[in-house]
C-alpha cells in the first residue's frame, strides 16, 4: 500500500515527511499534477461494474487501488508544465486525475472537498462557535451603518480579509490590522469587510492537529510590543515558539471542529488573553508546520507520516459525535 | 420562510419556478451574486456563540435564518457588476456570501460542495457503477498503448471530453464524436482522452430527478439517422421528447446515485439500446429542463417549486442506504 503525495518539487516541508516514511519503509510516490502528460501519465478503465486506475510517475507504475492515503499538500496546477499548456488541458487533466483519485478508497489529508469548504472564513467562525471554542465578536458586512454600530459597541477592533491569506498567492496575504478609533466606515459599502474585537493578547498560539494528535506551540507577546502589531506573521519578534500544553476544553473543541470540518489536518491560530483564554482566530487546513517543528522540536512531520502510513479511520482519535458531523 | 434563488437575470427557466412559487404564496428572493455591493448587500454578526446573517436585495431585507431553501441555479460571478470589479472583490464577496449561506440550516438544490463534486466525470462513472446503473465500457487515459488495446477490444468507440460540456462556457461544449476505425492514438499522450464503447441506440433518454421524483423523457432515433450522429445535442432531429416510464431498476439506481452524490436535482442522460437497456452516459447536476417541459408537458418547474417550498429532509424520497452514502 502506497502513500501518494501531491505537491510541487519546491515543497521542502514535504521532504521531511517523505524522509520519515522512507525510514519506516512505507512506499511513497510524490507527484506534481503540473507534470501531467510530461512525466506523469494516468489511465483508468471502467468495465464489468468496476474501475481500475493507474498512475505512472517517472516510469514507476502505481495501481490506484493500492493507494493507502493521499496527501494533498501544495500541488501545482494540473498540466502546467505540459509541452503545450492550455486552460483546456488543465481542466481535462485535473478532472481526470482528481476524478479518478476520488474513486479510490484512499484516506485523504485533506479531502479536496473538505479542504475547499474549510477556506470559508464565515463558515469557520460558525463551526468554531458550534464546536464550543471562544470566538471574538465578529462582523462581516457591506452595511456602513452596521459597521458603525459594531464599532460603537467594540471600540477596539481589527480588520482582516474575509477570504483569509492565500499562501500560494502572496499579493493576497493581507495582514490583520487595527482599526483606528475615528475610522469612517462609508467604504464598507464597496466590499465585504470583516471586523473583529481585538483580543488583548499575552501570547499567540499555533495548534497543529494531525488526526487526533494535537501539538500546540506558544509565542509570548513581547512586553514592549505595540498593540498595533496584531498579526503574528508580520509582528517584529525574536521569541521562538515553545511547546505548550493544550487545555482540555480547547482540545475537545478542536476535535469537534475537525470532525465537523472533516479535516485530518488543521493549523489553528488562537490569541491567548490575560486570563489564559484561547480565542479562536482561524484554522488553516493547509497551514505550514515546518517553522513550528524547527522552533519547538515537536514531531509534526513524523505524526503526519504516521497518519499517512496508518490504516485506521480517517478521523481516528476524533470524537464520535454523530449529531455534530452533519454541519 | 423564504426561498432564495441564486441566478442571473437572463435565466428565463428560473422564471417558471418563481411563477409557481408565487402562485403558491411562498416568499421568494431572487439574487444574482454579480450584483453584490451594487444592489445586493450582506451582513453577518457573530456574538455570544451565535451568528445572525442578513441579505438585502433591492431594498428588501431577508434574515438568513429565515431561509427555507437555496436554489443554486446559474449565479453570476460575485461582484462582477460592482462599481469597481476586481478579482479580489470577487473572492471576498463570494467568500462572504457563500460562507454565510453555508452557516444556515437551509436545504440546498444543489449544495455547492455536492454540485462541484458531481462534475467529475470519472467519479460519475464510478458512482453510476456502484449505484447499479449499466455503464458502457470506458477508458480515460494518456497511454497511447492503453487506447490502442481498448480500441482493439471495442471496435466501435466514441470520444468525449473528460470535463464534460460546460454550459456557461460555449467554447468548451465539445460534442461527443465517433472514433474512426483507423485512428492513430499517439496524440493521447498529450492530453487525457475519454473513450467509450458506442451504444447503438434506438432512443435518447433524459431523466430529470427532483428530490425523489423522477421524470423521464424519450426521443427515438430517426430510422435514417447516421451512426456518426452520436450526440443528441447536436444531432439533426425534429422528433420531440415524449414522457417515458422509468423502469424500476433504473429508478432504484438513480435514487442510489442521487443519494451517493448528495444531489437534490440531477439531469441524467441515458442511451437506450435495441434491448431496451438504459445505459448511463452522464448526470448533469445543473442540466436544463425547460426544453423537456416544453416538449413533454411534464411538471418539472412545479416539482422544483414544491421541493424548494417543502420542509422535509433534503433527500426525502431517496433510498435510505447508510452504507452507500459514504462514497
Amino acid at each position: 500500500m502506497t502513500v501518494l503525495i501531491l505537491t510541487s518539487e519546491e515543497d521542502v516541508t514535504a521532504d521531511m515527511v517523505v524522509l520519515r516514511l522512507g525510514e519506516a519503509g512505507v512506499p511513497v510516490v510524490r507527484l506534481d499534477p503540473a507534470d501531467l502528460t510530461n512525466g506523469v501519465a494516468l489511465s483508468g478503465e471502467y468495465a464489468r461494474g468496476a474501475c481500475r486506475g493507474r498512475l505512472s510517475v517517472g516510469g514507476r507504475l502505481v495501481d490506484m487501488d493500492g493507494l493507502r492515503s493521499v496527501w494533498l499538500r501544495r500541488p501545482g496546477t494540473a498540466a502546467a508544465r505540459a509541452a503545450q499548456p492550455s486552460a483546456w488541458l488543465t481542466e481535462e487533466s485535473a478532472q481526470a486525475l482528481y476524478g479518478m483519485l476520488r474513486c479510490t478508497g484512499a484516506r485523504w489529508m485533506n479531502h479536496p472537498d473538505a479542504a475547499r469548504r474549510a477556506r470559508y472564513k464565515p463558515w469557520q467562525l460558525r463551526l468554531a462557535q458550534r464546536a464550543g471554542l471562544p470566538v471574538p465578536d465578529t462582523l462581516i458586512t457591506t452595511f456602513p451603518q452596521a459597521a458603525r454600530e459594531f464599532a460603537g459597541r467594540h471600540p477596539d477592533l481589527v480588520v482582516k480579509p474575509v477570504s483569509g491569506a492565500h499562501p500560494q498567492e502572496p499579493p493576497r496575504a493581507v495582514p490583520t490590522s487595527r482599526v483606528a478609533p475615528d475610522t469612517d466606515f462609508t467604504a464598507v459599502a464597496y466590499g465585504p469587510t470583516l471586523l473583529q474585537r481585538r483580543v488583548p493578547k499575552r501570547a499567540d498560539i499555533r495548534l497543529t492537529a494531525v488526526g487526533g494528535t494535537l501539538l500546540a506551540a506558544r509565542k509570548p507577546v513581547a512586553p514592549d510590543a505595540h498593540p498595533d502589531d496584531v498579526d503574528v506573521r508580520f509582528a517584529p519578534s525574536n521569541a521562538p515558539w515553545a511547546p505548550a500544553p493544550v487545555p482540555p476544553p480547547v482540545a475537545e473543541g478542536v476535535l469537534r471542529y475537525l470532525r465537523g470540518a472533516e479535516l485530518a489536518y488543521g493549523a489553528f491560530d488562537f490569541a491567548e488573553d490575560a486570563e489564559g483564554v484561547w480565542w479562536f482566530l482561524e484554522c488553516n487546513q493547509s497551514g505550514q508546520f515546518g517553522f513550528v517543528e524547527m522552533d519547538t522540536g515537536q514531531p509534526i512531520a513524523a505524526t503526519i507520516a504516521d497518519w499517512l502510513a496508518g490504516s485506521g479511520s480517517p478521523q481516528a482519535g476524533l470524537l464520535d459525535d454523530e449529531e455534530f458531523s452533519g454541519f
Side-chain angles (χ1 to χ4, degrees), chain A:
Chain A
M1 296 292 278
T2 304
V3 173
L4 175 65
I5 302 182
L6 298 175
T7 201
S8 67
E9 243 174 77
E10 310 86 64
D11 180 7
V12 293
T13 309
D15 295 344
M16 298 164 63
V17 174
V18 171
L19 192 72
R20 293 286 180 170
L21 288 167
E23 285 168 2
V26 178
V28 180
V29 167
R30 181 172 173 156
L31 180 164
D32 187 353
D35 291 325
L36 262 167
T37 75
N38 195 1
V40 170
L42 56 78
S43 200
E45 186 170 344
Y46 300 76
R48 290 172 300 281
C51 168
R52 191 183 164 203
R54 287 172 300 166
L55 282 172
S56 162
V57 189
R60 181 168 163 203
L61 209 61
V62 186
D63 199 317
M64 287 200 203
D65 275 339
L67 291 179
R68 184 194 296 261
S69 55
V70 183
W71 191 22
L72 192 66
R73 220 342 248 182
R74 312 239 150 168
T77 302
R81 275 194 294 274
Q84 295 193 300
S86 72
W88 163 257
L89 181 59
T90 287
E91 178 71 11
E92 291 281 292
S93 300
Q95 289 268 346
L97 176 66
Y98 293 105
M100 283 189 210
L101 287 175
R102 282 164 177 268
C103 298
T104 69
R107 314 155 80 211
W108 289 82
M109 178 181 274
N110 287 317
H111 192 283
D113 292 336
R116 191 178 158 78
R117 181 178 52 187
R119 293 195 191 100
Y120 287 90
K121 185 68 72 72
W123 180 85
Q124 283 190 22
L125 296 172
R126 184 72 191 112
L127 181 57
Q129 284 183 332
R130 289 179 48 123
L133 295 168
V135 175
D137 285 5
T138 305
L139 179 73
I140 301 170
T141 196
T142 62
F143 288 95
Q145 189 51 31
R148 284 181 207 114
E149 286 169 19
F150 190 74
R153 278 178 281 136
H154 301 285
D156 196 356
L157 289 178
V158 297
V159 60
K160 53 176 103 171
V162 180
S163 54
H166 289 234
Q168 291 96 336
E169 290 152 309
R172 282 202 198 155
V174 181
T176 300
S177 314
R178 206 167 175 199
V179 177
D182 55 348
T183 296
D184 173 10
F185 289 105
T186 309
V188 160
Y190 300 106
T193 302
L194 192 158
L195 300 168
Q196 192 167 63
R197 177 177 79 78
R198 185 178 78 90
V199 177
K201 63 184 178 187
R202 68 179 187 198
D204 287 290
I205 303 288
R206 163 58 74 95
L207 187 156
T208 308
V210 181
T213 305
L214 309 184
L215 297 163
R218 185 175 182 276
K219 181 190 274 208
V221 171
D224 58 344
H226 195 280
D228 282 0
D229 293 331
V230 280
D231 195 322
V232 68
R233 296 169 300 172
F234 299 86
S237 165
N238 293 319
W241 291 93
V246 183
V250 175
E252 203 179 307
V254 165
L255 294 174
R256 288 173 73 93
Y257 185 102
L258 291 171
R259 188 171 167 83
E262 298 175 277
L263 292 176
Y265 176 90
F268 291 76
D269 288 325
F270 294 93
E272 182 186 297
D273 70 13
E275 279 75 47
V277 174
W278 290 14
W279 291 89
F280 173 88
L281 298 180
E282 68 167 337
C283 170
N284 184 348
Q285 67 82 28
S286 72
Q288 287 290 15
F289 60 87
F291 68 97
V292 182
E293 177 148 355
M294 203 95 78
D295 275 9
T296 61
Q298 287 171 326
I300 304 178
T303 308
I304 291 173
D306 282 352
W307 190 94
L308 292 169
S311 53
S313 138
Q315 300 248 314
L318 303 188
L319 299 186
D320 189 20
D321 184 342
E322 278 307 324
E323 230 171 306
F324 190 68
S325 65
F327 181 67

